[in-house]
Each structure stands twice: as C-alpha cells, then as structure tokens.
Amino acid sequence: MPKGDFSVARIEKRTRASVGKFERHIERKNESYENMNVDLSRTPMNVHFQGCGELTYNEHLDRLIADGVVSLKGLKADATVFNEMILDVNTDYFERNGGYDFACRFYEEAFHFAEKLYGKDNIISAVMHADELNIAMTEKYGKPIYHYHLHIMALPVVDKEVRWSKRCKDPALVGMVKEVIHQVSHSKKWKSEKALDENGNPILNSNGKPVYHASYSILQDKFYEYMKDAGFEGFDRGERGSTAENLTSLGYKIQQDEKRPADIEQRIAAEQVRYNDNHKAFMTFAEIDSSGKKSFTGKYTVLAEDYEKLTTLAKRSYSAVSEAQRLREENKNLSRQIWSLQSEVSKLRTALRELTEKCRPYLEALKIAPQKVKEFISGILEKFKKQEKSIYYEPISARKQQSPERGKRLNKECER
C-alpha cells in the first residue's frame, strides 16, 4: 500500500446565516471563486447524489419545518443548524485506481454511509466535486489532475420522545409517549461520552480531568470501516492526532511544499533565459537607420540583403511581443502560486509545532519502550470501542408514535 493514502471525514458547523456562502461554493453558484484551482469547464462533471432542486438550503429547511418533518424548537438564532461533512481520500489514491469513474463509485458508496449517519431524509445536498485542480499532482504527472471529494450538507437530527407529564388529568396517560420530535441538535448528535474503566469509573487524564470518547474520532473509524466493508481497499484510516505517523506525514508535506516554490522560481528563470536566447536582434539601430535610401519620388529603397534582415527582424519583434506577454502572464500566475505555497508552508509549520508539542510525552515514551506503549494504547482503544455509542441515525420506531387522530383524542382527555 502506498504510504500516505488516508481516508478523511470531518464535520464543519454551519448556521442559518453562514450556510449561504458555503452553498454557493458547493453548488457552484458563483461566477468566479477565491479558489483559483476551480476549473469551471469541468463543473458539469460534478455528481449530485442528492439535492434540493431550485430551493436554497434555508428554503428547503423552512419547508421541512412547515411540514413538521424537523424542529428547531429551543435553538438560538446563531445555533449550528447544518453539518457540512467532507469525505475525502488523497488525490493520488483515485488517480492510481481509475480516476473519475472510480471516484464516482467510491463517493456513491460514501454517500450511503452519510445516509446511515444522518438519515436519508435529513440530507439536504450531496455533491462530489470533480473540477478542482490539484497543482502538485498536475506537476507530478505532467497533465491536469483533479482532486475528487464529497461535500454533504445535512441536518444533525436526533429523535426525542415527548411524554405526558404529571399535569395531565388522566393518570393513565402520565409517562406515555405524547409525540416524537425530530429535533435538530448538533450538540446532542455529536455529544462526547465519558470513558469508563472496568469498574465503571471515569478514566482521568494526567491533569485529573475525565477522558471522553471523541465523536469525531469515532466518525473517522466508522467511515473507514464502512468503506473497507464495501470493498474499497488501498488506504488507511486518517491518522490520529497522537501518532508519530501523523507527524511524519505532516513533515513530508511541508518538505514537498517547500520544494515547489523553488521549482517554480527555476522555471521562471529558465523561461527568461530561453526568451533572451531566442530573441536577439540581428541589426543595430544604426544599421536599421542606414539601411534605406530616399529616392527623388520620396520612396525608400533598400538592398535585397537589408530587406530580408528587416522583414525577419519585424517578424521576430512581433513574435517577441506576443511571447513576452505570455511570459508575463505565466510569471504572474507562478508568483501567485509561490505566495500561496509559502502561506501554506507557514500554516503547516505552525500545525507541526503544535502537534509536536502535544505529542511530545507520547513520542518520548515511544522511544524508551515502544512495545509497551503500543500495547497500552491498543488496550485503551479496545476499551473505547466497547463503550462508544452509535453515531448512526436511529429513528424511534413508528409503532411508538401516535396517529394524529389518537394524539388529538389524548389531548382532549388530558384537558378534561
């Protein structure tokens, strides 16, 4: 298996106010993009596994609320209402396995994972992007290479049973299920649970604080396991934040990104040398001025040899102007790439420093007793797996829900 092929599943929180910006990017509603690597000529190749037609995400949500499908009851105006989930594996993985067609099959299955996670009716949009150019891979392969990934906009719905309270006048109804609300709640959907030891007591970290099952980490596990079970091989689970491999991978990416600005600068220098060598003038200004003689009729005559030189020089000058313009544009684009890469390298260096500091105790222990550390970590992860809650959407059985007629009757009985 090639080193560095990792699956990634991450969640970004979106509010009703902020989701429009991301909707325009996901659905390609903009005429231009901050991301200069979007190739709009390939946008028709993007695959929509689910959409909301002509409605915006917020309009679709309003319809679901009006139809009683979901509820925002109790949420503040700036609460997280949408989850944007990005499912991804690095570009090279798809390129080696068949490119676009393979990516379509892979992400169709990944979409089914999202359906299981959120519930089919709670997914507003699912789009595989196939129009974002991967510059590094393009340079590696010498042809346009595109980065395939899946954007899913979903509602984090949890089912909540509302029961009759003691205020109900019919004692027989107290405690019975009054209705089931499909509540939008990011905090409940992704609630982290405390890890317990074999005696049922909370596991504490070195600072004496409880250790939690990180829901997002469980998401990484479940996505990886689901895709492997579906028959997709050749990649690993996204690296955990506390592993040496993650540091190595990040360091390698920094190293590669640091090389690219230097390579681009060499290309600029090479173009300049090629331009200078291929566009030398064959005549000096003095030679040009003295090449023609004015006749009595006011016309200029030149020797055949000078005429040939002048026409050749004119053609070369015209070509040089065009070539110079092309090189200026290419130089400008390459300079932008250098700036972008330098910015990315700076961010990666910061991430690497933070990750190194965070992992320092683990790395030092790993050097001293590698086998014991690995056994210890494996033991903890195994305990976590036995305790972790399900993150899949589990709708409350329909038989527990009342019919509208029965609900009205019970309401009247309770009011008597």
Side-chain angles (χ1 to χ4, degrees), residues 139-157:
E139 292 175 358
K140 174 182 175 181
Y141 285 98
K143 63 178 182 178
I145 301 295
Y146 294 88
H147 178 60
Y148 305 109
H149 54 283
L150 181 64
H151 288 269
I152 293 169
M153 194 65 72
L155 300 172
V157 171

Side-chain angles (χ1 to χ4, degrees), residues 377-391:
I377 295 296
S378 297
I380 291 177
L381 292 176
E382 192 60 34
K383 285 182 182 178
F384 269 35
K385 279 193 171 294
K386 292 178 180 178
Q387 297 175 12
E388 69 185 27
K389 67 171 185 176
S390 172
I391 61 172

Side-chain angles (χ1 to χ4, degrees), residues 24-25 28-36 38 40:
R24 290 192 294 274
H25 173 78
R28 294 298 190 245
K29 292 184 176 181
N30 293 333
E31 294 182 0
S32 60
Y33 293 86
E34 293 177 4
N35 178 1
M36 299 300 292
V38 174
L40 292 176

Side-chain angles (χ1 to χ4, degrees), residues 316-334:
R316 286 186 176 276
S317 297
Y318 180 81
S319 175
V321 170
S322 177
E323 179 71 357
Q325 179 62 29
R326 185 190 71 78
L327 288 171
R328 277 195 294 270
E329 288 299 320
E330 184 171 347
N331 195 347
K332 190 185 299 182
N333 290 333
L334 290 172

